[in-house]
Amino acid sequence: MSQRDALARHLLAQTERAATLEAERTALHALGPENGGQGEAEKAAFIEGLLAAAKVTDVRRADSPDARVACGFRPNIVARVPGESSRTLWIFGHMDVVPAGDRAAWKSDPWRVRREGDLIYGRGVEDNQQAVTGMILLAEALAALGIRPRQGLGLVFMADEECGSRHGLAHVLDTLPEDFSPEDWYLVPDSGSSRGDAVEMAEKGQLWLKVTTKGKQCHASTPHKGANAFLAGAEAAVALHDGLAAAFPEHDGLYRPPVSTFAPTRHEANVDAVNILPGKDVFWLDCRLLPAHPAEAVLARAREIAAEVAERRGVGIEVEVEHTQPPSLTRPDLPAHAPLFPALADAVEAVYHVRPKPVGIGGATVAALLRARHLPAVVWSRILNTCHQPDERASLANICGDAAVFGRLLLAHAGAPAGETRAGEAHA
Ligand SMILES: [Zn+2]
C-alpha cells in the first residue's frame, strides 16, 4: 500500500478520536466579546497541547491585543510541519463559534456534544470544528505513522472569524507576511456542499446599505397630519428589492445563486405604542453582487429608487453605505488563480467518489483576505450546512473523510509548481 493510501486509511478510521476531539472543544465555548464571550484563549491552549502531543514543534502565536477579553488578547496559532518540497499546504480553521441562540430550539445542551450514530450535535461541531478536528487528526496521523510529507504542512488556528477576522486571519497575515508565499496551496474548509462536490473559488461583492426614512410623527388616528415613515420605508424596501433586481439582471452560472441579490434584512425598532404614527424608519439592505455589477452603480440606482419613493410619500429617504467589499476574484475559473484545484479535485474524488466543480458564492469567507494578498485560496469541505442553526450537527464520516482529503493533498505529486509537469507524476 502506498503511503498516501495508508495515511488516508488511517484517517478514515479515526471516528472515535474525532468524536472525542469535538466533545472536548465544544465544552470550551470560545465566543467573541461581541457575543458576550471571553474569546478563544482556553481553546487555543487546548489545541497547543494537542499539537505538542503530536510532536509538532514549530508552533508560533500571532496573538492580537484585545482589551475586551479578560486575558487581553485573541489567540492565533501557526503550526508547521516540514515537507520534502518547498511548497506548503496551508489549512485554516477558526476556533471561535457563534452563540447557541434560542436554547429551547435545541434538543439537548448545545455545549455538550450529543452523538447519534454518525452524527454529533453541538454548537460549533460543524462551523468550524469539523475543519479544526481534521487538521489535528492530520497532525496526529503524521506522528503516528512517522510520515514526512511531500508538501510542508501549515495549520492556522484563527480567532475572530465570526465577527470580522480583524483579530484573526487579518492579524496573522499582517504579523507574519513572510510565511505565506503565492507558490503555496491555501485551503479554507469553512463552506461546502453535502456531497463535497463544490470548490468555492469566488465570492460576490458585498454592499450593505442603511436606508433612513424621515417623515413626521403624529397621533395614529389622524395620519393625514403626519408622514408615516414606516409606510414609506416599507415601500422603499419593496421598491429597492424589486427595482435593483430589474436593473441588474445578469446571470453568471458559476455562482450560487447565479444572480446578484438585494435582501432587506435588519429593521430598527420604531415607536413604542400602536397609536403613534412613526416619524422615522431605518432598515438595511444586504446586496451580494456579481462582478459584473459594480457597487457604485448599484448605489446610484438605489438612491434614484429611494428618491422616487420619497417624492411619492412626502418623506425624506437617505441611503448610506454601511459596508462594502469587492468580489474576491473577478475571473475565478482561471486555473492559475487556484493551482490547488486539480490536486484537490483528485483527492476529493479518491475519498468521496465525486468530481468537484468550481463555484462562486454570495457569502464571505476568510479566503477573500488571502486572495486580496494574492494568495490563491479555495474553500472546500463536505458538510451538512447546519452552521449557526439550532441542533448544529456534523458527520463523523465527513470529519474523517475531509481529513483524508487533506492527507492526500499533503502527499500529492500532482499540481507541481511551474517547470515540473503533472503528467507521469500523478500516478507515479
Ligand atoms: Zn465558519
Side-chain angles (χ1 to χ4, degrees), residues 145-170:
L145 302 180
I147 291 174
R148 180 180 170 89
R150 168 160 276 257
Q151 274 67 242
L153 176 62
L155 300 175
V156 182
F157 302 91
M158 308 174 295
D160 194 31
E161 194 275 343
E162 298 292 358
C163 298
S165 290
R166 190 163 60 89
H167 295 287
L169 184 59

Side-chain angles (χ1 to χ4, degrees), residues 153-362:
L153 176 62
L155 300 175
V156 182
F157 302 91
M158 308 174 295
D160 194 31
E161 194 275 343
E162 298 292 358
C163 298
S165 290
R166 190 163 60 89
H167 295 287
L169 184 59
H171 183 78
V172 173
L173 294 171
D174 286 345
T175 332
L176 303 170
E178 67 289 349
D179 273 56
F180 304 99
S181 157
E183 305 294 320
D184 290 343
W185 284 349
Y186 295 88
L187 176 62
V188 180
D190 196 17
S191 171
S193 67
S194 59
R195 297 180 66 221
D197 56 356
V199 178
E200 191 258 278
M201 294 172 70
E203 288 164 19
K204 292 176 187 173
Q206 293 175 38
L207 176 66
W208 293 358
L209 299 176
K210 181 181 182 187
V211 182
T212 305
T213 301
K214 285 187 181 142
K216 191 174 167 221
Q217 184 175 318
C218 69
H219 197 284
S221 63
T222 54
H224 59 284
K225 291 185 180 168
N228 191 331
F230 173 43
L231 184 64
E235 187 169 325
V238 175
L240 287 166
H241 175 265
D242 295 354
L244 292 173
F248 301 96
E250 283 76 9
H251 275 65
D252 186 335
L254 178 75
Y255 293 86
R256 299 177 183 177
V259 291
S260 291
T261 55
F262 309 93
T265 52
R266 185 175 163 206
H267 187 259
E268 211 165 74
N270 56 11
V271 292
D272 295 321
V274 177
N275 59 0
I276 301 173
L277 189 118
K280 186 180 175 196
D281 182 84
V282 183
F283 75 90
W284 281 260
L285 193 72
D286 179 334
C287 311
R288 306 291 166 132
L289 306 176
L290 294 177
H293 299 148
E296 305 73 50
V298 174
L299 175 63
R301 183 70 195 120
R303 285 184 167 146
E304 286 169 14
I305 292 170
E308 288 161 20
V309 175
E311 166 91 35
R312 207 156 47 234
R313 290 283 167 189
V315 295
I317 303 183
E318 192 183 6
V319 179
E320 298 163 279
V321 176
E322 176 141 313
H323 161 76
T324 179
Q325 185 173 305
S328 77
L329 261 192
T330 46
R331 225 25 268 177
D333 53 347
L334 295 177
H337 283 180
L340 162 60
F341 182 79
L344 178 59
D346 288 349
V348 171
E349 191 166 24
V351 173
Y352 288 128
H353 314 295
V354 290
R355 188 81 190 165
K357 285 202 285 279
V359 299
I361 63 168

